[in-house]
Amino acid sequence: MDTDNVPDTRERSRQLIGLLADESRLRAFAAIALGARSAGQVAETAGLPPRETALALLRLREQGAVTGQGREGAGGRNGRSENGGALPGGAEEGLAVSYDLLRELARPERPARPAGGGTLETFVRDGRLVRLPARWTRKQQVLRHIAEQTFEPGVAYPERVVNERLRAWCQESDEVDHVTLRRYLVDLGELRRSEGVYERVAAA
């Protein structure tokens, strides 16, 4: 997956959320996260009928949310033999959550490069803020662009997340830090702050 391609990453995240919006698939996924290694163990842990379990596992594997075949012959609970020893061959086929995929989708998105020229091209390069303009009207344009590229309207962001996303914009600037950028966005009215939670104000 190309994590620099923001639309593809967002679409993949939406697909994963849609996959887990189904109760059977969510229960099967949770069972695997809790240690179920075979289809039988998933059915037992999730409380699902065998056919429903099989369909849920099929969809989870197709979307890459879990790996492994989960064959009943792979061994006992959690891929171990009856006497507690590791199974040399079966453990390889046990079901497992695709944590690498989840970590990849959880990476902060790199701000997109501005499509327009003029003021934005002068002060924003390769998705990074070079410096803020001294003229207020230009400063408003740059700040509005940063807000639009970084935050979705109507979504509540904890201050930690706001700082993390704004810090990415300031990596190439020696003049502006994320705290200054956050204060400007609030002063401009692009972000609304209430009890440590920030929300981007939708355009009128």
Side-chain angles (χ1 to χ4, degrees), residues 63-131:
Q63 294 295 324
V66 301
T67 60
Q69 296 300 313
R71 296 172 184 167
E72 295 299 334
R77 179 169 291 276
N78 296 328
R80 306 188 72 83
S81 64
E82 294 300 325
N83 61 9
L87 292 171
E92 293 296 326
E93 297 179 349
L95 294 164
V97 171
S98 299
Y99 288 108
D100 287 343
L101 172 64
L102 299 181
R103 282 189 288 266
E104 189 172 356
L105 294 177
R107 291 175 185 170
E109 295 173 351
R110 179 172 178 174
R113 181 172 184 171
T119 299
L120 292 180
E121 194 171 73
T122 301
F123 296 99
V124 178
R125 296 175 187 169
D126 296 324
R128 298 292 185 265
L129 178 66
V130 178
R131 67 182 188 279

Side-chain angles (χ1 to χ4, degrees), residues 151-158 191 197-200:
F151 306 104
E152 294 291 336
V155 176
Y157 296 92
L191 290 180
V197 176
Y198 295 77
E199 180 179 340
R200 182 183 153 208

Side-chain angles (χ1 to χ4, degrees), residues 12 16 19-20 29 60-61 63-67 96-98 101:
R12 188 69 182 88
L16 183 60
L19 178 71
L20 298 179
F29 182 83
L60 289 169
R61 282 194 295 263
Q63 294 295 324
V66 301
T67 60
V97 171
S98 299
L101 172 64

